[in-house]
């Protein structure tokens, strides 16, 4: 017993020493660009007689223990990312190693040449990135731009509330002047620069989303003023996988999706395919959503070539709330809050939508016997579109110093929007005096009544405004390594675009025919038009684009610098089939109108220390005007339309530690010779205004912070403060809906000093990601916007003494909450189930998001203010299974 006690004490005394002989390596695996964690990443530790490893938790953290002192090779890997290896030495204490991984799949590699993803402590631009993990956790059932509200300098809204109708604004510039690219291919409309988010449902297949603000790193000549949004979709993953997801939520939201990835097959082949079905009643009344989505990519490694073919599309239709309404129509409380009058038959709720109604298409049998067909719900305003896009990519590693990327693409868009039309060519049709909704029954009664309308000629009916297109293009770019520090890049971008624009009769609403209107000079006035016949306008817009770029980049561990330039030429032609034909019988068409645009930019980044960097950039962009800013509605070309000049400068500072990331930057942008268009119905008749040659000055500061407070708690925050104002004066031209002038020609408008409207100039955001226990997360996000001036009609400022700001909207605030749980693998440790949910607008508060320029909103009377509000509290929940 005595010896036993002696031995026991000896063992106990030696245990601490034994414990000190083994140690651990811990850390996190993160996305190098966005800083987001990569749950499920694999960490392998070798050396010193050991070969072990582990997986990263749901917060991207890992820990490998029981390692004796010595030197180890530690490798971190994750599907879709390049593996990273570090040498770690253990002496007398545990070691820490964090792994920032670069994305690595076929699609991302190929677009690097043309899309130029910005890199921390290297690329001299201000940018923010959202990786796949954050997208999966926080997007919910929103349009893709809405997730970018957590990015400094970005303002995104759901607009009228229809699915896919969102808009985004960067540094005060709307999305027509923000270049949006999907896999390196520009997708802004070639005629007006718009982006229609309903054309794609990319949230499920997006690998990375990066916003480059101001002078972007994009190498192709794109019409970017506010910045560039690069959407990178999934490529061919290295491992075989299957993902199925089911989602449901408020307003009967339902979505079913399936994704298959083959992994690497024999012969270097691989493919990924995705499909989904989505339906919803919509939060806004009758703003239904009905969409299919398909996406597929096939890739092959062929010697020094990485080849891939990608196709995507989303045939969809959805109800719309086309235009905002007077504040009192939605809410008596909000009207009183801003000092506007309460509306008779108002206070209808923030989800109110006037663009629908009930209709009974009855028949009259015999003398006066009405036979009902039942009452149907009919939308006046809907959008329907299908825009399949196919890209063929070839990334050619010519040598260790040269690689060339080629992208050829085609897009064949078909569809448009519906609205009403009167025989007098007005899109404002009858509404019910009490409900304010479209009075389809009255229209049907008037059209069908054989007593007052014996020929059953349509006085009001529904039309399709078709905006189809045929778009073909290519992007070729190459990088050549001159030496270890210098890289020369060059490329060319070509596009051929034809837009097909016409109105066609959709529904005669009880009538037998409609008569042509005055703008159709080719159709006899006695013609009887039926469903499918063209009416109002019919023209093609042709755009041809050729552009090139060159860039020289210098890069060392301390200093990186770049100088680049682009040169582009665009040609426009308009062919009008409703004007009287030419002498040879062919359609009236304009001559080609050509503009030359160019840009020059330079920037440098200097890494002051291992954790601090400073960057600066300057540039000038001569931007060609869009097609729709060149011609009036009847095809007359505006005089003295000039390219617009944008001068920009920026300086930024960054702090980057494993647990802390801070960026701070200040910018200045001057947009000269800017052209704006608007439409006003304040007089009861649509008046179209074109204001050109006005300047806008945008300046501000932005800051973002990402802090790992503890292993289970991370914080992110964003602040932006802007001062955006018009400078100088512009020239106004006005026309009526049929294209005839109103008499105002080159009328000066006095905008000097007036704040630029249509977006919040100040933004504050703070969010947390908390893991209460392993596998679970909770992500609250609070967002506040202020200093938001409503959009306005410049034509109302025709006297210097009346020059004043439009209405400054009240401060808005919003709280969203996202949560989820990843279950432990089951079924032979191969299947992983995940449960995720989101509550949007947790506090169910309502605030202004958009103010229209359809009325004189910069008038002294707030009774004319027309607006959209945010949607109320909604939720979604989804269950996924991954094999």
């Amino acid at each position: 017993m005595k010896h036993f006690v002696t031995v026991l004490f000896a063992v106990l005394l030696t245990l601490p020493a034994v414990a000190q002989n083994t140690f651990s390596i811990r850390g996190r695996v993160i996305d190098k660009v966005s800083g987001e964690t990569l749950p499920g990443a694999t960490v392998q530790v070798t050396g010193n007689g050991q070969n072990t490893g582990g997986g990263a938790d749901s917060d991207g953290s890992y820990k490998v223990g029981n390692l004796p002192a010595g030197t180890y090779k530690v490798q971190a890997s994750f599907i879709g990312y390049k593996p990273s290896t570090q040498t770690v030495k253990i002496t007398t204490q545990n070691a820490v190693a964090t792994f920032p991984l670069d994305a690595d799949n076929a699609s991302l590699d190929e677009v690097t040449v043309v899309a130029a993803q910005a890199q921390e402590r290297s690329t001299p631009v201000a940018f923010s990135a959202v990786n796949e993990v954050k997208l999966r956790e926080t997007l919910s059932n929103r349009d893709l731009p809405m997730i970018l509200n957590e990015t400094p300098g970005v303002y995104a809204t759901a607009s009228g509330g229809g699915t896919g109708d969102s808009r985004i604004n960067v540094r005060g510039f709307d999305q027509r002047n923000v270049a949006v690219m999907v896999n390196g291919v520009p997708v802004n409309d070639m005629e007006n620069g718009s982006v229609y988010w309903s054309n794609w449902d990319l949230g499920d297949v997006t690998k990375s989303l990066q916003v480059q603000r101001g002078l972007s790193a994009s190498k192709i000549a794109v019409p970017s003023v506010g910045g560039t949004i690069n959407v990178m979709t999934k490529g061919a993953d290295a491992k075989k996988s299957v993902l199925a997801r089911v989602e449901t939520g408020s307003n009967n939201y339902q979505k079913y999706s399936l994704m298959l990835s083959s992994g690497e097959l024999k012969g270097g082949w691989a493919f990924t395919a995705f499909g989904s079905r989505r339906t919803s009643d919509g939060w806004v009344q009758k703003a239904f959503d009905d969409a299919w989505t398909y996406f597929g990519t096939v890739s092959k490694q062929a010697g020094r070539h990485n080849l891939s073919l990608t196709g995507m599309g989303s045939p969809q239709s959805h109800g719309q709330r086309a235009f905002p309404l007077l504040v009192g129509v939605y809410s008596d409380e909000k009207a009183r809050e801003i000092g506007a009058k309460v509306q008779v038959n108002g206070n209808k709720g923030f989800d109110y939508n006037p663009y629908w109604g009930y209709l009974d298409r009855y028949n009259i049998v015999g003398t006066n016997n009405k036979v009902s067909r039942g009452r149907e719900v009919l939308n006046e305003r809907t959008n329907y579109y299908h825009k399949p896009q196919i890209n063929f990519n070839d990334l050619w590693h010519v040598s260790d110093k040269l690689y060339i990327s080629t992208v050829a693409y085609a897009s064949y868009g078909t569809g448009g929007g519906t609205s009403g039309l009167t025989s007098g060519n007005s899109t404002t049709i009858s509404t019910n005096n009490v409900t304010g909704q479209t009075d389809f029954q009255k229209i049907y009664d008037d059209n069908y009544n054989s007593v007052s309308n014996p020929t059953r000629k349509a006085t009001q009916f529904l039309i399709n405004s078709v905006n189809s297109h045929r778009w073909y293009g290519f992007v070729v770019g190459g990088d050549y390594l001159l030496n270890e520090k210098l890289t020369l890049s060059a490329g060319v971008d070509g596009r051929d675009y034809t837009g097909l624009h016409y109105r066609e009769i959709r529904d005669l609403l009880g009538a037998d025919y409609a008569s042509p209107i005055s703008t159709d000079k080719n159709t006899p006035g006695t013609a009887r038009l039926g469903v499918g016949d063209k009416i109002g306008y019919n023209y093609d817009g042709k755009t041809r684009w050729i552009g090139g770029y060159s860039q020289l980049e210098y890069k060392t561990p301390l200093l990186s610098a770049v100088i680049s330039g682009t040169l582009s030429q665009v040609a426009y032609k308009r062919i009008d089939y409703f004007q009287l034909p030419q002498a040879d019988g062919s359609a009236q068409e304009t001559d080609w109108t050509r503009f030359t645009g160019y840009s020059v930019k330079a920037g440098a980044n200097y890494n002051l220390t291992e954790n601090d960097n400073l960057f600066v950039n300057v540039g000038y962009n001569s931007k060609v005007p869009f097609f729709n800013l060149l011609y009036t509605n009847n095809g007359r070309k505006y005089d003295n339309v000039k390219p617009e000049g944008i001068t920009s400068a920026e300086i930024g500072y960054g702090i980057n530690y494993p647990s802390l990331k801070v960026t701070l930057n200040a910018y200045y942008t001057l947009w000269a010779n800017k052209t704006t268009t608007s439409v006003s119905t304040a007089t009861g008749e649509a008046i179209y205004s074109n204001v050109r040659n006005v300047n806008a000055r945008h300046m501000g500061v932005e800051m973002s912070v990402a802090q790992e407070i503890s292993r289970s708690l991370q914080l992110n925050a964003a602040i932006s403060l802007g001062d955006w104002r018009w400078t100088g004066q512009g020239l106004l031209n006005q026309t009526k809906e049929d294209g005839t002038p109103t008499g105002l020609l080159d009328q000066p408008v006095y905008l000097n000093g007036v704040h630029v409207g249509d977006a919040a100039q100040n933004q504050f955001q703070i969010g947390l990601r908390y893991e209460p226990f392993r596998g679970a997360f909770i992500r609250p996000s609070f967002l506040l916007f202020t200093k938001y001036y409503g959009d306005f009609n410049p034509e109302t400022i025709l006297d210097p003494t009346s020059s004043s700001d439009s209405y400054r909207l009240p401060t808005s605030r919003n709280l969203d909450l996202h949560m989820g749980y990843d279950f432990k693998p089951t079924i032979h440790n191969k299947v992983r189930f995940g449960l995720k949910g989101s509550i949007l607008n947790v506090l169910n508060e309502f605030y202004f998001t958009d103010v229209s320029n359809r009325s004189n909103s910069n008038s002294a009377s707030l009774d004319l203010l027309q607006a959209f509000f945010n949607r109320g509290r909604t939720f979604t929940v989804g269950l996924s299974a991954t094999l």
Side-chain angles (χ1 to χ4, degrees):
M1 184 66 178
K2 177 180 178 181
H3 293 292
F4 174 78
V5 174
T6 302
V7 172
L8 179 60
F9 271 103
V11 171
L12 292 174
L13 289 172
T14 58
L15 280 177
V18 172
Q20 291 302 312
N21 288 333
T22 61
F23 303 90
S24 66
I25 301 175
R26 64 179 179 85
R28 303 182 77 198
V29 186
I30 62 175
D31 182 292
K32 185 176 181 179
V33 174
S34 67
E36 290 285 327
T37 59
L38 299 176
T42 300
V43 178
Q44 190 71 23
V45 178
T46 58
N48 199 29
Q50 302 290 317
N51 187 355
T52 184
D57 293 337
S58 57
D59 67 342
S61 63
Y62 72 91
K63 182 178 180 180
V64 180
N66 298 320
L67 300 173
T71 301
Y72 298 90
K73 292 287 186 182
V74 185
Q75 184 186 73
S77 60
F78 189 68
I79 294 175
Y81 287 81
K82 297 177 182 178
S84 176
T85 302
Q86 297 183 28
T87 299
V88 177
K89 187 174 182 179
I90 298 177
T91 54
T92 60
Q93 59 182 1
N94 299 327
V96 177
T98 296
F99 290 87
L101 301 187
D102 286 310
D104 179 25
N105 63 39
S107 63
L108 294 182
D109 275 344
E110 289 154 4
V111 299
T112 297
V113 178
V114 291
Q117 289 287 83
Q119 299 292 328
E120 286 182 346
R121 295 171 56 81
S122 176
T123 311
V125 299
F127 71 95
S128 301
V130 181
N131 76 349
E132 188 176 6
V133 174
K134 185 173 182 178
L135 279 167
R136 296 293 84 76
E137 291 184 353
T138 65
L139 183 59
S140 184
N141 64 342
R142 298 178 292 177
D143 295 340
L144 198 60
M146 299 302 293
I147 198 174
L148 297 178
N149 268 327
E150 297 187 10
T151 299
V154 171
Y155 181 76
T157 81
S159 193
T163 302
D165 290 341
S166 294
R167 68 180 184 94
I168 191 168
N169 189 297
V170 180
R171 289 182 174 175
F173 302 104
D174 66 35
Q175 61 188 17
R176 292 172 297 179
N177 299 293
V178 175
V180 179
M181 294 187 291
V182 177
N183 293 335
V185 173
V187 296
N188 295 76
D189 187 280
M190 288 293 294
E191 294 181 331
N192 58 28
S194 296
V195 181
Y196 304 101
W197 299 99
S198 58
N199 291 341
W200 315 281
D201 183 15
L202 293 176
D204 292 288
V205 296
T206 296
K207 183 74 176 179
S208 173
L209 181 62
Q210 189 178 86
V211 181
Q212 299 173 13
R213 303 185 296 277
L215 292 174
S216 70
S218 176
K219 297 174 182 176
I220 66 175
V222 289
S224 171
V225 182
T228 300
I229 298 175
N230 292 319
V231 181
M232 305 299 178
T233 62
K234 293 179 68 68
D237 289 333
K239 294 185 179 180
K240 184 184 301 184
S241 65
V242 178
L243 170 65
R245 184 181 293 117
V246 178
E247 299 169 78
T248 188
S250 303
N251 310 305
N252 202 26
Y253 173 78
Q254 304 286 333
K255 185 174 182 180
Y256 308 90
S257 55
L258 178 67
M259 183 180 297
L260 306 174
S261 294
S262 69
E264 188 172 347
L265 303 174
K266 291 182 179 180
W269 290 92
F271 72 84
T272 296
F274 171 82
S276 73
R277 174 75 170 119
R278 188 188 70 227
T279 59
S280 173
D281 294 339
W283 185 80
V284 172
Q285 294 175 7
K286 307 306 177 185
F288 70 91
D289 175 33
D290 187 349
W292 296 84
T293 294
Y294 57 88
F295 169 87
T297 181
V298 179
S299 65
K300 177 176 173 55
Q301 181 76 33
R304 289 182 171 269
H305 293 265
N306 287 339
L307 306 174
S308 68
L309 181 67
T310 300
M312 68 187 80
S314 185
Q316 60 81 37
S317 62
H318 67 272
Q320 292 185 301
R321 182 166 55 174
F323 299 109
L325 302 170
L326 298 175
V327 178
V329 173
Y330 301 110
S331 167
D332 290 347
E333 180 183 353
K334 285 293 180 182
R336 295 188 184 100
E337 180 181 318
I338 67 169
K341 69 179 180 181
V342 174
Q343 297 293 314
V344 177
N345 294 324
N347 201 35
K348 298 179 183 296
F350 294 104
D351 64 342
Y352 173 68
N353 180 13
Y355 297 102
W356 67 278
Y358 294 106
L359 174 61
D360 181 359
R361 300 177 189 264
Y362 59 82
N363 286 330
I364 295 180
V365 180
T367 306
N368 195 20
N369 185 21
K370 182 185 293 185
V371 179
S372 173
R373 293 187 179 180
R375 193 170 70 161
E376 64 179 288
V377 173
L378 191 61
N379 283 69
E380 178 191 342
R381 299 279 180 163
T382 62
N383 174 273
Y384 63 99
Y385 217 82
H386 182 202
K387 182 183 178 179
Q389 181 169 307
I390 299 177
N391 301 349
F392 175 75
N393 294 28
D394 174 21
L395 179 61
W396 180 21
H397 292 266
V398 183
S399 67
D400 291 340
K401 291 189 173 183
L402 174 65
Y403 67 90
I404 297 173
S405 173
T406 302
V407 182
Y409 61 92
S411 174
Y412 196 90
T414 303
T418 69
S419 64
L421 192 70
T422 70
S423 56
N425 198 28
S426 171
T427 57
T428 302
I429 61 176
S430 295
T431 58
N432 184 283
N433 292 332
V434 177
T435 66
Q437 294 167 207
T438 307
D439 200 339
F440 285 115
Q441 197 60 62
K442 180 180 185 305
I443 296 171
Y444 185 91
D445 292 346
D446 291 343
N447 286 340
Y448 192 73
N449 192 322
S450 59
V451 175
S452 60
N453 184 18
T455 63
R456 288 184 177 165
K457 173 184 173 181
T459 56
Q460 300 180 63
F461 46 96
L462 290 180
I463 57 169
N464 294 324
S465 297
V466 176
N467 291 290
S468 300
H469 72 250
R470 312 292 180 260
W471 187 352
Y472 310 95
F474 66 89
V475 183
V476 179
D479 286 358
Y480 182 72
L481 187 65
L482 298 172
N483 55 46
E484 292 182 355
K485 299 178 181 178
L486 283 175
T487 301
L488 176 65
S489 303
V492 63
D493 162 33
R495 312 174 209 172
D496 183 89
Y497 180 97
T498 300
L500 292 74
H501 309 284
Y502 56 87
R503 282 176 173 168
E504 65 179 7
I505 297 175
R506 178 186 179 93
D507 190 334
L508 287 168
L509 299 177
D512 291 336
Y513 72 96
S515 294
I517 56 180
S518 59
T519 54
D520 183 357
K521 297 181 172 58
N522 271 333
T523 305
T526 57
R528 296 165 68 98
L529 304 179
V531 172
D533 288 335
K534 295 179 174 63
I535 187 171
Y537 60 80
N538 181 15
Y539 71 92
D540 291 348
K542 290 185 173 291
T543 302
R544 292 176 180 172
W545 170 291
I546 188 72
Y549 76 88
S550 62
Q551 175 178 291
L552 185 64
E553 183 179 13
Y554 173 84
K555 191 172 184 179
T556 69
L558 285 180
L559 176 66
S560 58
V562 62
I563 182 170
S564 66
T566 68
L567 182 66
S568 59
Q569 185 179 77
V570 61
Y572 297 129
K573 178 190 283 286
R574 191 180 192 276
I575 305 173
D576 198 321
Y577 302 101
F578 268 18
Q579 300 298 316
L580 293 175
Q582 301 183 87
D584 62 358
S586 61
Q588 285 283 353
E589 61 181 83
T590 66
D591 295 329
W592 285 102
T593 300
R594 291 178 170 83
F595 294 93
T596 299
Y598 64 91
S599 69
V600 290
K601 53 188 176 184
N605 177 86
Y606 184 72
N607 294 325
L608 303 169
T609 69
E610 290 184 3
N611 308 107
D612 302 78
N613 68 290
L614 182 70
F615 77 84
V616 63
N617 64 56
V618 295
Y620 179 81
N621 181 8
S622 178
K623 178 179 175 295
V624 300
F626 290 121
F627 176 94
N628 70 331
L629 300 179
L630 186 63
Y631 301 101
T632 65
N633 290 347
N634 61 4
R636 183 181 68 82
K637 190 172 75 172
Y638 286 115
D639 298 325
N640 302 319
V641 177
K642 304 175 183 178
E644 302 165 342
I646 298 98
T647 303
S648 186
E650 185 166 15
I651 186 170
Y653 173 70
I655 301 173
N656 199 326
Y657 288 86
S659 61
L660 175 65
K661 176 182 172 183
V662 179
T663 61
L664 176 65
N665 55 279
Y667 64 90
Y668 176 91
T669 302
L670 179 65
W671 188 344
N673 295 325
K674 183 176 181 179
T675 301
T676 65
T677 60
S678 63
V679 58
S680 173
T681 57
T683 62
E685 179 182 14
I687 302 297
Y688 294 84
S689 297
N690 176 284
V691 177
R692 65 183 191 278
N693 301 348
V694 69
N695 301 334
R697 187 263 297 146
H698 294 233
M699 58 191 297
V701 294
E702 300 164 339
M703 184 176 71
S704 63
V705 178
Q707 169 75 59
E708 182 182 7
I709 300 173
S710 69
R711 179 183 175 278
S712 59
L713 182 62
Q714 297 89 45
L715 174 145
N716 66 283
I719 300 174
S720 62
L721 305 174
D723 185 43
W724 314 329
R725 297 174 185 263
W726 299 99
T727 64
Q729 66 183 44
L731 298 175
L732 166 68
N733 288 275
Q734 284 187 338
T735 60
K736 299 179 182 179
E737 189 158 12
D738 62 3
T740 59
T742 64
L744 288 177
L745 180 65
D746 287 345
Q747 164 70 42
V749 293
Y750 300 92
L751 296 174
N752 191 51
V754 174
H755 282 91
V756 174
D758 199 34
Q761 303 196 16
N762 293 344
Q763 168 199 20
F764 305 89
Q765 182 272 335
I766 186 169
L768 296 172
R769 189 183 190 277
Y770 174 61
E771 296 191 21
F773 49 89
R774 178 167 298 194
F777 74 88
I778 300 174
R779 294 185 79 142
S781 178
F782 179 77
L783 187 63
L784 185 145
F785 286 115
T786 186
K787 198 181 177 182
Y788 178 8
Y789 293 90
D791 202 3
F792 62 91
N793 283 339
E795 67 269 17
T796 61
I797 310 180
L798 305 182
D799 187 318
T801 60
S802 66
S803 182
S804 62
D805 280 328
S806 62
Y807 178 65
R808 179 169 173 167
L809 301 170
T811 296
S812 67
R813 63 179 185 177
N814 183 76
L815 176 64
D816 294 334
L817 181 63
H818 313 278
M819 62 202 79
Y821 179 70
D822 290 325
F823 297 87
K824 292 180 179 180
T826 185
I827 310 178
H828 305 295
N829 209 35
K830 291 184 177 180
V831 180
R832 300 179 66 95
F833 288 98
L835 183 65
K836 293 182 175 63
S838 296
I839 304 174
L840 305 177
N841 189 9
V842 174
L843 303 178
N844 201 34
E845 294 185 339
F846 294 93
Y847 49 86
F848 292 88
T849 60
D850 307 78
V851 169
S852 171
N853 63 358
R854 293 179 72 232
S855 65
N856 299 335
S857 57
N858 51 326
S859 165
S861 174
L862 294 174
D863 295 336
L864 299 175
L865 193 71
Q866 298 180 349
F868 284 135
F869 290 81
N870 62 304
R871 66 177 177 180
R873 184 191 299 120
T874 57
F875 76 91
T876 58
V877 62
L879 176 66
S880 63
T882 306
L883 173 62

